[in-house]
Amino acid sequence: MKFVFSLCLLVTSQVLATTWAESTVPDPIAPDSTCSVMEPASYGSYIYHWPSKYDQVFWPLTDSNGIWFCKESGFIAFIGDFEGLSEEEVARISSYLKTAKPNTSDQLSRLEHLEKIYSLRDKDEIFKNKLKRVLAYLYEVEGKLDLANRYRSEILQQINKLLESPNLPEYQTLEYLYLSVNYELQLGNEERSSSRLIQLKSAIENINDAELKGYGDYLSALINELPGMRPGGKLMPE
């Protein structure tokens, strides 16, 4: 990701479009079956400037095609996250899907099913944090603003704990500081947002990894949009 941000500040695309191509992948729960999915065919650095940037989640995860679903087994996951399941994970998910009748007729139902299946997988805290951010953004797109902001409140609590870790990678520290600035402001905690903003600016000024300089510049540009943000509602400047 950090390499991409260096590029995205230099490249301007004339066509702000993404395209998809049909594909098939093995079903992790039904070994002899395959699932029909969509794979990215073309996109540009402009995806990092779409509204999901305020949650620091990006296309293709923010697109309905970025959630892969297997009709036969009922398995669901983010694009590209169909591999590496342990036997225990497969057993838990298979057991659940034998009795559950997941409704995936609309996006809201798919999001609920996605979160349930991920609750049965062995994911670390950083992944769980991103999952909730994707859910928050997609619920916001669906007009469920209160639900989206409840997720952001939970995410913020987790971020505050993760930021206390002395071993948190520098990229993650920058990302989480930026998100805490946004989320505190969104939730009406202007003083805490201002405090995190001071920390973020200091972290950007003192980046150790040269490959993160582009990401630091990207976040600095986003900081300039903060005055337009208002508590509640959508997480984006007015």
Side-chain angles (χ1 to χ4, degrees), residues 53-123:
K53 64 187 178 182
Y54 303 115
D55 287 294
Q56 285 296 281
V57 291
F58 306 100
W59 188 94
L61 296 185
T62 56
D63 191 289
S64 59
N65 286 326
I67 300 175
W68 285 356
F69 176 67
C70 298
K71 291 183 179 179
E72 183 171 332
S73 70
F75 182 77
I76 192 171
F78 284 139
I79 182 172
D81 197 23
F82 269 40
E83 299 179 351
L85 279 76
S86 67
E87 292 182 2
E88 291 79 10
E89 288 176 295
V90 171
R92 286 195 296 266
I93 295 169
S94 297
S95 177
Y96 168 74
L97 291 174
K98 283 179 181 178
T99 56
K101 299 295 182 183
N103 174 20
T104 58
S105 59
D106 56 52
Q107 178 74 334
L108 291 175
S109 300
R110 284 166 64 88
L111 295 180
E112 291 175 4
H113 185 43
L114 177 72
E115 186 171 16
K116 175 59 182 180
I117 294 300
Y118 268 121
S119 74
L120 301 173
R121 294 183 63 174
D122 300 324
K123 293 292 188 177

Side-chain angles (χ1 to χ4, degrees), residues 1-9 48 58 169-172 174 207-218:
M1 178 70 76
K2 60 187 178 183
F3 304 105
V4 173
F5 283 105
S6 296
L7 180 63
C8 86
L9 296 171
Y48 299 106
F58 306 100
E170 189 174 24
Y171 170 82
Q172 220 68 62
L174 291 166
I207 287 175
N208 293 312
D209 186 345
E211 293 180 343
L212 287 174
K213 295 291 185 181
Y215 186 48
D217 293 340
Y218 171 78

Side-chain angles (χ1 to χ4, degrees), residues 1-215:
M1 178 70 76
K2 60 187 178 183
F3 304 105
V4 173
F5 283 105
S6 296
L7 180 63
C8 86
L9 296 171
L10 298 174
V11 177
T12 301
S13 180
Q14 295 180 344
V15 182
L16 305 185
T18 57
T19 59
W20 296 86
E22 295 181 357
S23 183
T24 57
V25 293
D27 188 327
I29 305 303
D32 296 328
S33 300
T34 58
C35 312
S36 297
V37 299
M38 302 295 286
E39 299 252 24
S42 65
Y43 64 97
S45 59
Y46 43 81
I47 65 173
Y48 299 106
H49 299 281
W50 287 349
S52 63
K53 64 187 178 182
Y54 303 115
D55 287 294
Q56 285 296 281
V57 291
F58 306 100
W59 188 94
L61 296 185
T62 56
D63 191 289
S64 59
N65 286 326
I67 300 175
W68 285 356
F69 176 67
C70 298
K71 291 183 179 179
E72 183 171 332
S73 70
F75 182 77
I76 192 171
F78 284 139
I79 182 172
D81 197 23
F82 269 40
E83 299 179 351
L85 279 76
S86 67
E87 292 182 2
E88 291 79 10
E89 288 176 295
V90 171
R92 286 195 296 266
I93 295 169
S94 297
S95 177
Y96 168 74
L97 291 174
K98 283 179 181 178
T99 56
K101 299 295 182 183
N103 174 20
T104 58
S105 59
D106 56 52
Q107 178 74 334
L108 291 175
S109 300
R110 284 166 64 88
L111 295 180
E112 291 175 4
H113 185 43
L114 177 72
E115 186 171 16
K116 175 59 182 180
I117 294 300
Y118 268 121
S119 74
L120 301 173
R121 294 183 63 174
D122 300 324
K123 293 292 188 177
D124 63 22
E125 292 303 304
I126 288 177
F127 179 90
K128 291 176 182 178
N129 188 275
K130 176 179 279 190
L131 168 64
K132 285 193 174 184
R133 283 187 277 128
V134 174
L135 290 171
Y137 173 74
L138 291 177
Y139 278 126
E140 180 175 281
V141 170
E142 293 296 315
K144 303 294 184 180
L145 302 186
D146 289 344
L147 180 56
N149 289 327
R150 283 203 298 272
Y151 272 90
R152 289 177 179 128
S153 180
E154 294 175 7
I155 295 163
L156 181 58
Q157 293 179 40
Q158 185 187 34
I159 282 176
N160 287 334
K161 291 181 181 179
L162 288 169
L163 283 170
E164 294 175 359
S165 171
N167 300 317
L168 192 65
E170 189 174 24
Y171 170 82
Q172 220 68 62
T173 298
L174 291 166
E175 180 183 55
Y176 287 166
L177 283 173
Y178 170 73
L179 288 167
S180 64
V181 171
N182 275 6
Y183 290 173
E184 292 286 14
L185 189 58
Q186 172 76 356
L187 297 169
N189 305 319
E190 294 186 27
E191 188 173 335
R192 287 202 290 268
S193 177
S194 297
S195 176
R196 284 300 195 193
L197 180 58
I198 292 171
Q199 291 179 268
L200 173 59
K201 288 181 176 179
S202 176
I204 291 172
E205 290 174 2
N206 296 284
I207 287 175
N208 293 312
D209 186 345
E211 293 180 343
L212 287 174
K213 295 291 185 181
Y215 186 48

